[in-house]
């Protein structure tokens, strides 16, 4: 029996993606817009959580020039985590927008 001649990627089912296929999808712009709205809400929440995490303490009678604040670690941590999530979503929104407007080059 003879074995059919196939290239290596076809033999294991891992072929390259079609270079002319479907990166330019305008529906991705809608996903980018939704992510940008979500980023705005997350930034607002991060600022709100940071504000809750910093509490102004009463000044000392002997030293009124000193300013004391109490930092609550749980609210500051939540603020940092939500800000990081907002940054990642902003990067993904940029990627979605780039894929939405990408044009295909025509080879001569």
């Amino acid at each position: 029996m003879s074995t059919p001649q196939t290239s290596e990627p076809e033999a294991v089912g891992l072929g390259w993606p079609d270079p002319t296929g479907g990166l330019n999808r305008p529906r991705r712009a809608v996903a980018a817009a939704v992510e940008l709205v979500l980023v705005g809400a997350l930034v607002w929440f991060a600022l709100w959580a940071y504000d809750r995490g910093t509490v102004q303490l009463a000044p000392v009678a002997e030293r009124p020039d000193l300013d004391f604040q109490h930092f609550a670690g749980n609210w500051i941590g939540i603020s940092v985590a939500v800000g990081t999530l907002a940054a990642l979503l902003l990067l993904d929104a940029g990627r979605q927008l780039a894929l939405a407007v990408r044009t295909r080059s025509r080879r001569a």
Side-chain angles (χ1 to χ4, degrees), residues 4-102:
Q5 297 293 327
T6 60
S7 64
E8 187 64 30
E10 292 173 354
V12 293
L14 299 174
W16 290 99
D18 183 18
T20 62
L23 284 180
N24 183 12
R25 295 191 179 140
R27 286 180 280 156
R28 290 181 182 260
V30 174
V34 169
E35 285 181 346
L36 286 176
V37 169
L38 190 58
V39 164
L42 286 174
V43 166
W44 175 83
F45 182 73
L47 292 173
W48 178 81
Y50 184 80
D51 189 43
R52 288 207 36 140
T54 56
V55 178
Q56 190 74 23
L57 297 178
V60 177
E62 293 84 24
R63 293 290 307 267
D65 58 330
L66 292 179
D67 198 17
F68 293 103
Q69 286 187 343
H70 171 73
F71 293 101
N74 57 345
W75 286 108
I76 301 295
I78 288 171
S79 175
V80 169
V82 169
T84 303
L85 180 63
L88 290 174
L89 278 177
L90 184 64
L91 287 174
D92 189 58
R95 181 187 70 89
Q96 293 283 1
L97 192 60
L99 289 174
V101 300
R102 177 177 287 170

